[in-house]
Amino acid sequence: PSMSAAERRFTIGLLAIEDGVLSSLTGPMDMVRVAQKIALARQPGTGLALETVLVGARGQSRVTGAGGMQLGPVQSPDLALDLVIVPGLMHDGVDDLVQRLGNYGPEIELLRSLSLRGVALASSCCGGFLLAEAGLLDGRSATTSWWLDAAFRHRYPRVSLDVEQMIVEDGCIATTGAST
């Protein structure tokens, strides 16, 4: 569909990642749908068009989240995206989380590519580890879940970590602690 001159589209990509915490994906989907309905109720002719799309780095059509539930469709990240959210990852502790990072090479490369395109990035909970692994948090301020503090600081010494903050924005990157 063609956009009218007055339409303002804002598209949030949700990174489709195996073993992602599903509420990190479905929560934003629901919040954006509600925000769109409120915008339309307040101003029926609004040109605001809010949407979420699942985007993947592996060409997959569906993604299996933590607990085995599948979500789809997963789309190409070549869309016009304003923001991409990295979900939290289900893991069995710090050692397991750090070991799993090696399985997410395509996602880490995608995050680097999106950053170079100027797409704003955000992470939920330990999703910030993927941003840090991509080198995107070097020299920046960030947060993560408090109990991951020591492991994060050890692995990413060039990141200024403040786990006392629930949300930290630094430039076009935002990180959150826990499921915020």
Side-chain angles (χ1 to χ4, degrees):
S2 64
M3 278 195 316
S4 71
E7 188 171 62
R8 295 166 301 165
R9 183 171 298 280
F10 191 87
T11 303
I12 300 172
L14 303 166
L15 184 60
I17 190 165
E18 295 296 315
D19 294 324
V21 175
L22 290 176
S23 60
S24 296
L25 299 171
T26 59
M29 286 176 176
D30 288 342
M31 287 184 263
V32 169
R33 270 191 219 101
V34 168
Q36 181 68 57
K37 289 189 178 293
I38 291 171
L40 288 170
R42 287 189 174 171
Q43 185 182 356
T46 186
L48 183 61
L50 302 171
E51 64 181 346
T52 59
V53 292
L54 278 170
V55 295
R58 299 172 186 253
Q60 74 269 46
S61 62
R62 302 186 68 71
V63 66
T64 304
M69 185 178 286
Q70 290 195 335
L71 293 178
V74 177
Q75 299 183 41
S76 163
D78 296 333
L79 302 166
L81 300 167
D82 297 288
L83 168 68
V84 169
I85 299 175
V86 180
L89 306 168
M90 191 61 68
H91 55 87
D92 295 326
V94 173
D95 292 338
D96 182 48
L97 172 61
V98 170
Q99 181 181 345
R100 286 172 182 257
L101 292 173
N103 299 331
Y104 296 121
E107 289 79 10
I108 290 166
E109 287 304 315
L110 174 59
L111 292 171
R112 287 185 186 124
S113 171
L114 291 166
S115 178
L116 289 172
R117 279 176 35 195
V119 175
L121 300 171
S123 65
S124 176
C125 192
C126 63
F129 275 72
L130 288 173
L131 294 174
E133 197 71 14
L136 300 174
L137 297 180
D138 288 355
R140 294 183 185 264
S141 296
T143 191
T144 191
S145 295
W146 63 268
W147 66 278
L148 297 169
D149 183 4
F152 193 101
R153 287 180 194 279
H154 176 74
R155 190 165 179 92
Y156 310 110
R158 294 185 294 223
V159 179
S160 177
L161 189 68
D162 183 357
V163 295
E164 298 299 317
Q165 301 298 314
M166 290 303 293
I167 299 172
V168 172
E169 290 182 65
D170 190 332
C172 61
I173 298 179
T175 52
T176 68
S179 61
T180 54

